[in-house]
Amino acid sequence: MLLRMSTLFLRTLRDDPADAEVPSHRLLVRGGYIRRAAPGGFTWLPLGWRVYRNVERVVREEMDAMGAQEVHFPALLPREPYEATGRWTEYGDNLFRLQDRKGADFLLGPTHEEMFTLLVKDLYGSYKDLPLSIYQIQTKYRDEARPRAGLFRGREFVMKDSYSFDVDDAGQDASYAAHREAYTRIFDRLGLEYVIVSATSGAMGGSRSEEFLHPTAVGEDTFVRSPGGYAANVEAVTTVAPAEIPVDGLPAAHVEDTPDTPTIETLVAVATELFPDAGYTAASTLKNVVVQLRHPDGTAEPLVIGIPGDREVDTKRLEAQVSPAEVEPFTDFAAHPALVKGYIGPQVLGADSDSGIRYLVDPRVVIGSRWITGANEAGKHVFDLVAGRDFTWDGTVEAAEVRAGDPAPDGSGPLELARGVEMGHVFALGRKYADALDLKVLDENGKLVTVTMGSYGIGVSRAVAAIAESTHDELGLVWPREVAPADVHLVATGKDAAVFTAAEALAGELVAAGLTVLYDDRPKVSPGVKFKDAELLGMPTIVTVGRGLAEGVLELRDRATGDRQDIPVDGAAAAVLAAVRG
Amino acid sequence: MLLRMSTLFLRTLRDDPADAEVPSHRLLVRGGYIRRAAPGGFTWLPLGWRVYRNVERVVREEMDAMGAQEVHFPALLPREPYEATGRWTEYGDNLFRLQDRKGADFLLGPTHEEMFTLLVKDLYGSYKDLPLSIYQIQTKYRDEARPRAGLFRGREFVMKDSYSFDVDDAGQDASYAAHREAYTRIFDRLGLEYVIVSATSGAMGGSRSEEFLHPTAVGEDTFVRSPGGYAANVEAVTTVAPAEIPVDGLPAAHVEDTPDTPTIETLVAVATELFPDAGYTAASTLKNVVVQLRHPDGTAEPLVIGIPGDREVDTKRLEAQVSPAEVEPFTDFAAHPALVKGYIGPQVLGADSDSGIRYLVDPRVVIGSRWITGANEAGKHVFDLVAGRDFTWDGTVEAAEVRAGDPAPDGSGPLELARGVEMGHVFALGRKYADALDLKVLDENGKLVTVTMGSYGIGVSRAVAAIAESTHDELGLVWPREVAPADVHLVATGKDAAVFTAAEALAGELVAAGLTVLYDDRPKVSPGVKFKDAELLGMPTIVTVGRGLAEGVLELRDRATGDRQDIPVDGAAAAVLAAVRG
């Protein structure tokens, strides 16, 4: 295919767009790949659409190769199935909802678990029909509060979403593994570095879940990794709990006056004044943080989280733990006299206590651990309060912030924190959706069994941004061959008709050989502008026909490495083909 | 590619779905090509999606070949551009509207004139940038009052929409002609018969417009054609007006008592009683029909249409004429005393009359024509009321029904009526959108000129239904090769292992040669069921490996013609390839 710059619908821009926060967004707009059309909505221009379609092709080929079958659902979906699973409500403001002319409720699909489940229920009924993996590559909608970073987080975007259906857990494991393996092949082909991290499944429910994160400084997700290869989404990091301590012989708890201790820091100072030899630090204190949970049915509940005083509650971690409930600030102390603001202690907490307020603790709060904490009385704290002896709790919660240097749960050393963007997600959903929508099949014994499912997503449009982000340099975009909108950028410079004749002939030969050539045939544009455009647009191979033609040579340049070489004009097509095909 | 029936996500149905009105809908559901997912929304199953993608490929190839460039817009669009052109309102209930979490108004794009216009305005500014044709193949939304006939009229569907931009009318003519030509190639390749009819442009505005109608009994559109090749949408048919008649010497008008004449028929009877020799017929009477126009701004206006008494007003024709106003029943006679129900006459009508009520007449009402019509007094009609002498009008209107046998406007004979479905539409929009959105470029003289545009659509998902509708037979679907989901349906029958071994080997050879093979490898399904499925699914070539294998032969069958032949198992792949490749 031949793309002529003289007629291509393209306008490269010298200046960065005002609203672009990250390099990929800036360069994709400047290079005429995408253009903003709405808040969080982008138009693909011809070159961008070619990159998008290349990414889509890679995803489709690998999904087909693993035996998944392609289908395609509407994006405009009825409310009822999402009502049945609770997601109509759980999605909150993130869901685009609308009504048709008759007032019936619809939504724009953010993901399609319900619809796939119903389709399989509709057509299949026997274990013999399974396993089944079906997928679509489809436009999705989420009413993001803050669309950002161009294609990274839009309100309309393309996802490949697949769903597996198995009759038993072993089958589900195999389907999960097959998707995971296909995803590694996809990201390898796209040239996208990735880390597979353990993830919480959040609002999706289910039991096992991993994310394919592309490490990048502009990523929104923080993840951890250890020297031994452990990697997890921050939400999924599990805390290494210390060993329990026998409570026998531990000193008795004692209440002390601790006036003017509004912060952990001042509390530690006062405690040290009282007991100079105890070696108290912030980690010696137990901070009890009250939040309000808002449940999907609208009811609210106070919840107290006990964590060591040297850590803060990480709201995203907490939210992942309590989902689908949402976390809100707690203010209604008046209604809960057991909660003495600033001096809350665990002695009065717990679902079985008089207050009835649920109390969850950090995993570091183990039986036998001793704490300085609130005495449930203004101006007083209690010391040597022993977990399991002096107070109990309703469960543990992974809500404390994760820090670089924390021990990895696999014991392989200290954790490192890094940023990344989620490119793919594999979920073992289990039977949540099949239960909610009653998807059962007859097993070998003629008994109805509930199907177990998996759900697997790849951000297709997002991958375009991630590739641009990870490969660009200071001059512009640098596309990997697999996704480049053209194989070769052919630049004809100067005003000499012979140059254009030679370039045109070379373009013809390359196209005949099956390459896509972006040919800069613009007659009145200076060589400087053409070269700048070639760097900005980022085709992997740049061929220049210009002054050297008089000496019988063209220049062949590798955009990624910057390597240049002169090649004879005779046989140039073969040399270019060799460079392109490696 | 090899598709195995044993694992293909497919369930063929013996019974017709209850809600299917037309054969293509019935067969596409029964054959497991599509499945209803929402009112007016369908899911493509694997075989259906393959057909869809084949159609899409043909459309894309031909659009690319004509030099149009592919882009892709969001479907979720902001209100403002549609507000600027008035279409936010004009679309009425057909538009899906919604709000985001901040309460900003959005719509689901029914067509993208505004967005393309703004994009070109955003990037281009000179006559040198034009001509430009850009297109997308994209999901569209319309809140149809009555989704029907499966893929023929859904609320979510895929359209190829393109837009041309030219600096002058000659350029626009060339762009229009190029699209028209590309459309003929597309429908030819898809094997879809079409008639190109003149069309009104309706709510789209603009000057010239033609539809590509596929003639089919299940079509919603009525069109006309003449022996001489004239063809038009019923809305666009122009009436052949009789010659004007000199008014000198015509008898004076006279009012007569005409009691008990509630219908044209009774009026003609009474008139004939009064004047037995006059030869009155229904065509001698002028019927004045009152309707109420509802303008986009919400205001209402009475409008009287004068048509010969032997014709009815065709609401669709009238609507096309008065668009974007909508036509509603008129009931408020009390507010307009000039309108004497049942006895309305033109003497009191017209924008300049005392009543101020607009009066439009059928083109058959020419100067000098004589009519029996209402006397604006109960129980009385006026006779020999002469047009142009005794009454005037504000304009003519093409609102009367068109009948088979009416003269064609090109003089080539009587019109024939036929039904069809709109597959494509080409519009010369002119400067309506460019004016509304201020799209101007500098011309050769450095002067700003408004760009002239065209808009061109093809129903891509609808084409799948049209092909199914036009090619099916009583046994099932019959796909043309260009769009068939597989080239060959290979059926292995019986329980003999040798049959499956031979079939498997043949499938391998055909796939290696580049064919897509749908291989019925189901071990426990009877030959009868397999043959029925093969007929229903409709691959163009059916190969059966079965009992004949013992004699060294397979059966090769052409689904469309029903021709069967035995071919030797040795060299069978070559024989099948020859049949497939014609």
Side-chain angles (χ1 to χ4, degrees), chain A residues 303-490:
Chain A
L303 174 71
V304 181
I305 313 284
I307 61 169
D310 63 332
R311 305 227 169 211
E312 299 300 327
V313 167
D314 178 329
T315 309
K316 283 180 82 175
R317 273 169 61 77
L318 175 59
E319 280 171 344
Q321 296 279 313
V322 300
S323 171
E326 289 187 1
V327 177
E328 299 177 346
F330 178 84
T331 51
D332 196 7
F333 285 92
H336 296 279
L339 301 175
V340 182
K341 195 171 178 181
Y343 298 91
I344 300 171
Q347 305 89 324
V348 300
L349 299 173
D352 297 334
S353 70
D354 288 347
S355 72
I357 297 170
R358 271 208 297 156
Y359 184 53
L360 301 177
V361 298
D362 185 79
R364 293 172 191 86
V365 180
V366 293
I367 288 176
S369 59
R370 281 193 284 166
W371 304 94
I372 304 170
T373 190
N376 300 305
E377 196 177 332
K380 293 188 193 297
H381 280 87
V382 60
F383 287 60
D384 292 321
L385 196 75
V386 172
R389 181 190 74 183
D390 303 326
F391 68 97
T392 57
W393 48 90
D394 296 309
T396 57
V397 64
E398 291 287 359
E401 59 179 316
V402 174
R403 291 190 198 142
D406 282 348
D410 66 348
S412 71
L415 293 175
E416 171 201 358
L417 289 177
R419 294 188 76 76
V421 61
E422 182 185 339
M423 296 308 311
H425 208 150
V426 286
F427 278 114
L429 291 175
R431 296 176 175 81
K432 171 178 167 171
Y433 290 90
D435 270 334
L437 298 164
D438 198 32
L439 170 59
K440 293 187 166 73
V441 295
L442 291 171
D443 72 6
E444 287 176 288
N445 308 314
K447 222 185 66 188
L448 277 174
V449 293
T450 303
V451 168
T452 179
M453 292 171 53
S455 149
Y456 315 88
I458 283 184
V460 181
S461 44
R462 175 179 282 182
V464 174
I467 296 167
E469 190 70 39
S470 70
T471 57
H472 82 276
D473 64 19
E474 67 287 359
L475 299 173
L477 297 159
V478 186
W479 295 111
R481 290 204 180 281
E482 180 92 61
V483 302
D487 299 294
V488 174
H489 193 133
L490 175 60

